[in-house]
Amino acid sequence: MAALEEGFTLSAVPLGAGPHGLLGVEQSDKADQFLVTDGGRTVILYKVSDQKPLGSWSVKQGQIITCPAVCNFQTGEYIVVHDNKVLRIWSNEDVNLDKVFKATLSAEIYRIHSIQGAEPLVLFKEGAVRGLEALLAEPQQKIETVISDEEVIKWTKIFMVFKHPVLIFITEKHGNYFAYIQKFNSHTLSKYTLLLGQEEKSVIQSFTASVDRKFISLMSLSSDGCIYETLVPIHPSDPEKDQRVVRSLLLKDVVSGDGRNGVALTVLDQDHVAVLGPPLPSSKECISIWNTKFQTLQTSKELSQGTSGQLWYYGENLFVLHGKFLTVIPYKCEVSSLAGALGKLKHSQDPGTQTVPHFVNWETSRGHRLGSQNSEQSKRIKDSEKHIEEELCKFLAIKPTPDFNTIIGDIVSELLGRHKAEPSFYPRNSLMQLIQTHVLSHSLCPGLMEAALEKADVQMLQLCLQQFPDIPESVTCACLKIFLSISDGSLQEAEINMESVSDYSDSVQEEKMEEQTEVLHNGFNAEEENCGNCDQELNKKPQDAAEETMSCPVIPKRAALLRNAILHSAYSEMFLLPHLKDIPAQHVTLFLQYLYFLYLKCSENATMTLPGLHPPTLNQIMDWICLLLDANFTVVVMIPEAKRLLLSLYKFVKSQICICSELNKIEVSFRELQKLNQEKNNRELYSIEVLELF
Amino acid sequence: EFKVHRVRFFNYIPSGIRCVAYNNQSNRLAVSRTDGTVEIYNLSANYFQEKFFPGHESRATEALCWAKGQRLFSAGLNGEIIEYDLQALNIKYAMDAFGGPIWSMAVSPHGSQLLVGCEDGSVKLFQITPDKIQFERNFDRQKSRILSLGWHPSGTHVAAGSIDYISVFDVKSGSAVHKMLVDRQYMGVSKRKCIIWGVAFLSDGTVISVDSAGKVQFWDSATGTLVKNHLIANADVQSIAVSDQEDSFVVGTAEGTVFHFQLVSVTSNSSEKQWVRTKPFQHHTHDVRAVAHSPTALISGGTDTHLVIRPLMEKVEVKNYDAALRKITFPHRRLISCSKKRQLLLFQFTHHLELWRLGSTVATGKNGDTLPLSRDADHLLHLKTKGPENIICSCISPCGSWIAYSTTSRFFLYRLNYEHDNISLQRVSKMPAFLRSALQILFSEDSTKLFVASNQGSLHVIRLLEGSFKHLHTFQPQSGTVESMCLLAVSPDGNWLASSGTSAGVHVYNIKHLKLHCTVPSYNFPVTALAIAPNTNNLVIAHSDQQVFEYSIPDKQYTEWSRTIQKQGFHYLWLQRDTPITHISFHPKRPMHILLHDAYMFCIIDKSLPLPNDKTLLYNPLPPTKESDVIRRRTAHAFKISKIYKPLLFMDLLDERTLVAVERPLDDIIAQLPPPIKKKKFGT
């Protein structure tokens, strides 16, 4: 919910603001410090939190500052233009502007733009743009004319798009508006004609813009009191051609058009704009915050002493010339809900309006928290995780819409995005909850398993492996590695779905099961299990061999992971094999031992299945054994511990081949038996029956 | 409640399918079987088998194709090319190609030339003239038999598959341009020979061949080189058919699998395309000898006697019942007739007839009981045909003392005499010249008249006397039509005779006055069964789209009940049945009942009960419980259906309380087929 806090005036001294107000308020290289350029001759550096000026510079009498001072973020120096053509560059230590560096240029300057991460850019009145360095190297260089005669620059702004500055400026000619986009990575200038639509007569009074990945969203406040939005593409399809962009109505009747001192507009964030101007023709001027998404007025503040019709917004502060004084109004936007958004108009006195909080504004909540203090951060994160969880519960409770899975995918990637930016934020429960909606897939949220792998969150990985249909083999293998390498201790702590694993750890005797799990926790020394149906040959083996083959070689939790997640995952041999080669030898052996154990369990009963729900099939087990051996045979052969295992596997294969060939031999007899059976079931060639029809 | 004689001793085995040929224009499918029979299925009319040409012992059909103007040609191992007359349902002419047994035949893309491949290695080109075919010239003689032929869509080149190689001929000069040797190796083992079972020529010059080594190969005909090789089976690949758009084709293997190949873009939205094996279908147990590719379906047939029509889901616009798989096993005509008086069944086989007497019982029982037999069924007679021709139709008179059957060139009538348990058979000699072949034979209810539908559209009425007969009248077909009548029905009082062809309406003749009484308006779908009800003389007509009409002959209009059911419409499940009604009969004591059956159900329509709508349950297999008597009365509807007996080839009412049902279990048919290719069940 957006809110305006109580404002405060920045200077006790009235600024020499003429009818045109201030020239500008610009950020300096230090947070909380701003350069305020008076309409006349003065530049003042303010520290907002202290509410006092840190420095003040003036040009000589007779000279007049024509362009707001800016800070060169690369050097920390300040730059100002006076008399349209003269550049002055100074630093904090300088006192007199007359004595500082001076450069006289060949053309008139409209604005100097400075932005973090790029050198300052100089926009000339004729539309040309130069980098400051290049300009200072040759101040008298010829500046070309870009815009036509009688075309006047009305407004300009700079953005960083993918680490490159992008400059937009709007010109006007006979009531027609044009937008120019200058990109500096490619040095292209594209021109767009703004089509005003039906409201031909209205004059645009104020502009503001925000940038998306591909578009600059240009908002304009017209004299009819409405805010219009125009999407100007940053990357034009055809830069050579004169292109047209249309504007669409965003908000209606936010101000009354005929304000004496004009109106102003600035974008606060994705969904909020601040508007300065009288809401009704006769009323005093107000600063109001509008939510563009819900088209609602969020808050409003009356500025009774009148303004200059100018508005700046930096960080969390709105700057406004209230009367003769520069006033700072802190602005805050908290997590908002639809009810909250509507709240201002409907029941503003009700503080707990989050009754239908389905529209959780993740962006704003995140942005807000980022600014929070470090000391409280972890607690806040925990709180926010909890909050997200609650919101999610409510969200999931509503009926799924057709695009439910994409919404869920978006939420997950949003959460993961925050996790990336803020590693301590890991909303595990929420993610688990989301995975269990059964609509996610790996391709919808590729970062999820990555994050879980990083955190070695086996429970999450297990869940993912069970739920996602499209996990790449490399990720499956990475999961397998973690499952095999994670220590028993950390496994014990993890909450793992143990579904039906304990069923067969010892399905023969219940009491034995209990003592055995205790033993198994320590590793491999388990007592011999009662296994009647096993291969006779194996039973004759020495005691220790039998022990090794009969007992589960891994603790039940690991077994659960391997069995319920890995064995069931879909894979293509070709892609899996190279990744399997990376698994360390002792882990391969461990996994092989476990697979072999499963195989023995399988062959215990006649149906060749494992007990429990969704058991891995014999084929799955065999395929994994083959794959592992294929990938790591040379290594496994060299390991002495694996020798016995390989030997027994070999014996099994041999006996299997024997059985198959024997079965092939007696297949014909089987068929005859089947035929006999069929004939017995078949009725006689002729019979008389009774039939009643209903 | 009925006593049902459940007969399973009809040892009928359909012949295996040898060739299929699809005609796009008329949406008809010609199917030839190993016994030489050629059947025509109308795919638009619910896959009804509307025509058939009886086979001949010496005439093994090896190739079948449609030429321009809906003309159907076949060629076989007797070295003859045959054209069929689709109107009169007989063979127009047979012409010897003088090249020994013919193994393959192909019609040029323009439909005006016919190419045959012969045993002696010759490829012969025939010109199709309006009423005959004319030999034009020989292509270069090859070393061994030509087993397959494929025209280039432009008609300039021809690919011919032989043993171990494929030749490409230039049609103009008749000389072989390329000879492409096929690898004999099969899975590393050198087989004796590699037989090219099928070739297809695409417009871009690609030749696709299928061979006995299980390969599907793509050749470049311009250079004569192998482009691509798909090994798809461990046994022969026996057939291939390409769609008209050349974007998909289908092959059939000896393992019973049908593979669908499609021309698919290598990556999405790239213009480069390649042939990819997309879908395997296993609807057959035995060799798939023939495949066809209609615009919307894959059609396959083989030794296991099923004709399978598998619609391509991506080509079907509406996902309705038409998109379902069809498997046609049994002929859509009656092979069984029954003598009610003597409880005899006459079974028709390709080359013989069997006469059986049903058994009897004295016991009674409740629903579902099998009663003890006091007398078992007897096999009375085994009547072999004379000559190599297959039997077209047969009939036994209701009294049981006459048997008539017909082949393509001869008509036979026998008189049966019963003396206690002995039967004597006496052939009625000196058949008149006009009685040469019949498409349908019918005796009147009192067995005094014989009705014969001949293949020139005429209907003969013959009076039967003790041991002799007298020709009464011949109804000539309507002027200008030569369409043959396939179905006959006579009223029990002997006054009316109804006959129907394949497309025109049903004609009703007055026997007393020997003149045409009226014609039932023709309907879009062919008639599958006809019958005239006793007393009311209502004609009941079943069509291949599962509609049933009742037409009052005396009033010359549809009955009120028929109008009502047409207005309300049949139950959707009734319309979705996929086998046609092949027999209609009536209950002598209950005039409101109509008995009819198809291969999977038999139904008694009780006209006095309300009609079911789509919400009611059409088929209720469970007997009603006592307490639900009220509900039963409320939910009872006109269609009483039983699905106990299937596949049902024949069902009729012997008397008021007795039914006879002839079943032919599929397992029994499969058991008598040669064993399929053995696949290892254990191990790899």
Side-chain angles (χ1 to χ4, degrees), chain A residues 82-211:
Chain A
H82 64 83
D83 301 311
N84 289 325
K85 282 185 176 178
V86 187
L87 271 181
R88 289 283 185 180
I89 300 175
W90 78 100
S91 64
N92 255 332
E93 288 79 42
D94 293 310
V95 181
N96 196 336
L97 273 190
D98 271 334
K99 297 196 175 135
V100 301
F101 176 83
K102 170 184 173 186
T104 308
L105 306 179
S106 62
E108 292 189 348
I109 295 169
Y110 180 74
R111 265 300 284 275
I112 298 177
H113 282 292
S114 180
I115 192 163
Q116 211 102 37
E119 65 159 322
L121 297 168
V122 180
L123 172 64
F124 291 92
K125 281 190 176 164
E126 304 299 326
V129 183
R130 287 284 189 279
L132 186 68
E133 305 295 335
L135 210 53
L136 293 180
E138 197 188 342
Q140 283 298 316
Q141 61 180 272
K142 185 150 169 43
I143 305 298
E144 75 276 19
T145 304
V146 173
I147 57 176
S148 60
D149 278 347
E150 298 177 63
E151 217 177 327
V152 184
I153 298 181
K154 281 290 185 191
W155 176 86
T156 172
K157 191 164 179 177
I158 192 165
F159 298 100
M160 288 300 274
V161 179
F162 296 122
K163 296 187 177 158
H164 291 287
V166 170
L167 195 137
I168 178 170
F169 59 91
I170 308 287
T171 63
E172 190 240 342
K173 183 181 178 182
H174 307 310
N176 297 320
Y177 290 88
F178 304 97
Y180 291 83
I181 307 268
Q182 173 91 48
K183 282 195 291 178
F184 288 89
N185 53 342
S186 55
H187 292 282
T188 50
L189 177 75
S190 20
K191 180 181 176 182
Y192 297 90
T193 307
L194 298 189
L195 297 179
L196 300 185
Q198 293 157 334
E199 299 78 21
E200 292 291 353
K201 277 176 232 153
S202 65
V203 182
I204 297 176
Q205 291 178 315
S206 177
F207 289 97
T208 185
S210 60
V211 67

Side-chain angles (χ1 to χ4, degrees), chain B residues 402-438:
Chain B
W402 298 92
I403 288 178
Y405 75 90
S406 169
T407 66
T408 321
S409 59
R410 289 172 82 183
F411 184 88
F412 299 89
L413 182 65
Y414 292 92
R415 170 88 183 156
L416 288 169
N417 287 312
Y418 300 89
E419 287 161 19
H420 305 293
D421 276 353
N422 291 329
I423 305 160
S424 61
L425 187 74
Q426 189 188 2
R427 183 169 170 204
V428 180
S429 52
K430 284 180 277 171
M431 296 310 285
F434 61 85
L435 268 184
R436 275 182 52 235
S437 95

Side-chain angles (χ1 to χ4, degrees), chain A residues 539-554:
Chain A
N539 272 354
K540 278 180 210 152
K541 281 192 162 189
Q543 188 75 12
D544 57 343
E547 251 178 42
E548 194 186 63
T549 47
M550 287 315 115
S551 63
C552 182
V554 293

Side-chain angles (χ1 to χ4, degrees), chain B residues 140-417:
Chain B
D140 285 2
R141 179 90 160 258
Q142 301 299 308
K143 270 184 290 186
S144 51
R145 62 176 71 146
I146 305 295
L147 286 149
S148 48
L149 287 166
W151 283 84
H152 188 269
S154 69
T156 55
H157 288 79
V158 163
S162 183
I163 293 168
D164 285 338
Y165 66 90
I166 303 159
S167 309
V168 178
F169 291 100
D170 183 74
V171 174
K172 230 177 220 167
S173 65
S175 58
V177 185
H178 278 294
K179 193 168 156 181
M180 300 178 289
L181 282 175
V182 180
D183 193 4
R184 282 185 180 187
Q185 292 248 323
Y186 162 69
M187 307 270 287
V189 186
S190 187
K191 269 184 128 182
R192 258 208 315 238
K193 272 170 184 171
C194 184
I195 302 160
I196 314 298
W197 284 119
V199 286
F201 214 140
L202 305 187
S203 48
D204 64 355
T206 306
V207 173
I208 309 168
S209 71
V210 296
D211 59 39
S212 60
K215 298 192 294 277
V216 174
Q217 291 183 312
F218 295 81
W219 306 84
D220 185 342
S221 68
T223 56
T225 49
L226 179 65
V227 178
K228 211 170 172 190
N229 184 12
H230 284 267
L231 184 67
I232 59 164
N234 289 324
D236 298 32
V237 185
Q238 295 185 311
S239 44
I240 179 169
V242 184
S243 72
D244 288 344
Q245 283 83 38
E246 297 191 354
D247 58 353
S248 84
F249 70 87
V250 55
V251 298
T253 73
E255 288 167 331
T257 320
V258 170
F259 289 102
H260 188 205
F261 282 74
Q262 280 173 296
L263 195 60
V264 178
S265 299
V266 177
T267 56
S268 59
N269 61 50
S270 89
S271 59
E272 196 192 339
K273 289 186 165 187
Q274 65 178 25
W275 286 101
V276 175
R277 188 177 84 189
T278 48
K279 289 175 285 239
F281 300 109
Q282 181 90 46
H283 298 304
H284 297 277
T285 51
H286 291 67
D287 299 29
V288 179
R289 298 295 300 269
V291 287
H293 197 308
S294 86
T296 56
L298 307 180
I299 301 156
S300 56
T303 313
D304 62 358
T305 76
H306 302 298
L307 178 67
V308 175
I309 297 161
R310 174 74 172 76
L312 294 169
M313 284 311 175
E314 67 267 26
K315 297 276 173 65
V316 178
E317 274 162 27
V318 195
K319 299 268 185 285
N320 62 1
Y321 191 70
D322 285 340
L325 172 85
R326 291 295 180 100
K327 211 167 186 176
I328 301 167
T329 311
F330 297 104
H332 292 161
R333 56 180 200 274
R334 272 162 59 195
L335 299 173
I336 298 151
S337 50
C338 147
S339 156
K340 292 185 182 178
K341 201 175 139 201
R342 288 189 180 266
Q343 307 220 324
L344 300 174
L345 286 178
L346 182 72
F347 298 141
Q348 175 191 327
F349 296 85
T350 44
H351 286 114
H352 69 273
L353 299 172
E354 278 181 14
L355 187 66
W356 289 75
R357 180 164 57 210
L358 295 172
S360 61
T361 181
V362 288
T364 52
K366 57 181 196 301
N367 185 30
D369 284 357
T370 304
L371 304 176
L373 297 176
S374 57
R375 185 166 55 100
D376 205 351
D378 288 335
H379 185 185
L380 299 179
L381 199 67
H382 183 99
L383 192 63
K384 260 196 80 71
T385 58
K386 297 180 172 61
E389 290 167 330
N390 295 0
I391 297 173
I392 302 175
C393 57
S394 63
C395 195
I396 186 167
S397 67
C399 67
S401 48
W402 298 92
I403 288 178
Y405 75 90
S406 169
T407 66
T408 321
S409 59
R410 289 172 82 183
F411 184 88
F412 299 89
L413 182 65
Y414 292 92
R415 170 88 183 156
L416 288 169
N417 287 312

Side-chain angles (χ1 to χ4, degrees), chain B residues 381-646:
Chain B
L381 199 67
H382 183 99
L383 192 63
K384 260 196 80 71
T385 58
K386 297 180 172 61
E389 290 167 330
N390 295 0
I391 297 173
I392 302 175
C393 57
S394 63
C395 195
I396 186 167
S397 67
C399 67
S401 48
W402 298 92
I403 288 178
Y405 75 90
S406 169
T407 66
T408 321
S409 59
R410 289 172 82 183
F411 184 88
F412 299 89
L413 182 65
Y414 292 92
R415 170 88 183 156
L416 288 169
N417 287 312
Y418 300 89
E419 287 161 19
H420 305 293
D421 276 353
N422 291 329
I423 305 160
S424 61
L425 187 74
Q426 189 188 2
R427 183 169 170 204
V428 180
S429 52
K430 284 180 277 171
M431 296 310 285
F434 61 85
L435 268 184
R436 275 182 52 235
S437 95
L439 291 169
Q440 184 71 278
I441 308 167
L442 190 69
F443 289 93
S444 67
E445 199 83 339
D446 55 2
S447 304
T448 56
K449 289 194 183 79
L450 172 68
F451 307 100
V452 177
S454 81
N455 58 9
Q456 289 302 324
S458 49
L459 280 175
H460 307 292
V461 184
I462 292 154
R463 177 185 292 278
L464 297 169
L465 305 161
E466 281 290 318
S468 68
F469 60 87
K470 190 182 152 201
H471 178 227
L472 279 183
H473 186 71
T474 297
F475 294 110
Q476 289 301 335
Q478 247 78 349
S479 55
T481 60
V482 282
E483 198 194 42
S484 296
M485 295 294 141
C486 308
L487 289 167
L488 293 175
V490 68
S491 67
D493 59 12
N495 287 340
W496 309 101
L497 175 70
S499 78
S500 150
T502 51
S503 58
V506 179
H507 304 291
V508 181
Y509 299 94
N510 188 325
I511 307 287
K512 256 186 198 153
H513 302 104
L514 296 174
K515 66 174 178 104
L516 181 71
H517 176 68
C518 62
T519 299
V520 180
S522 70
Y523 185 66
N524 293 339
F525 290 88
V527 178
T528 65
L530 276 180
I532 300 173
N535 307 324
T536 57
N537 281 330
N538 285 339
L539 175 67
V540 178
I541 311 166
H543 289 275
S544 72
D545 62 343
Q546 312 297 3
Q547 298 286 348
V548 177
F549 293 96
E550 193 188 37
Y551 183 85
S552 169
I553 294 175
D555 301 344
K556 295 191 186 183
Q557 61 175 7
Y558 287 110
T559 62
E560 201 52 49
W561 180 80
S562 184
R563 284 170 210 273
T564 314
I565 197 155
Q566 285 306 315
K567 212 178 283 167
Q568 192 186 322
F570 282 87
H571 194 274
Y572 72 100
L573 287 175
W574 176 269
L575 296 175
Q576 284 179 356
R577 292 177 304 114
D578 55 3
T579 49
I581 288 166
T582 48
H583 186 61
I584 302 170
S585 54
F586 302 95
H587 198 285
K589 290 283 158 63
R590 295 184 191 146
M592 295 308 277
H593 286 191
I594 305 170
L595 282 76
L596 26 79
H597 79 87
D598 66 12
Y600 295 103
M601 63 109 217
F602 113 87
C603 173
I604 296 177
I605 299 178
D606 187 343
K607 290 187 281 179
S608 60
L609 288 175
L611 296 170
N613 59 27
D614 280 0
K615 287 189 198 93
T616 50
L617 195 66
L618 184 68
Y619 169 58
N620 181 16
L622 297 167
T625 47
K626 281 208 179 73
E627 60 267 33
S628 66
D629 236 26
V630 187
I631 304 164
R632 176 184 159 191
R633 210 160 297 135
R634 208 172 41 194
T635 57
H637 57 74
F639 290 77
K640 302 186 183 307
I641 291 173
S642 161
K643 295 190 180 179
I644 295 173
Y645 314 107
K646 55 191 177 182

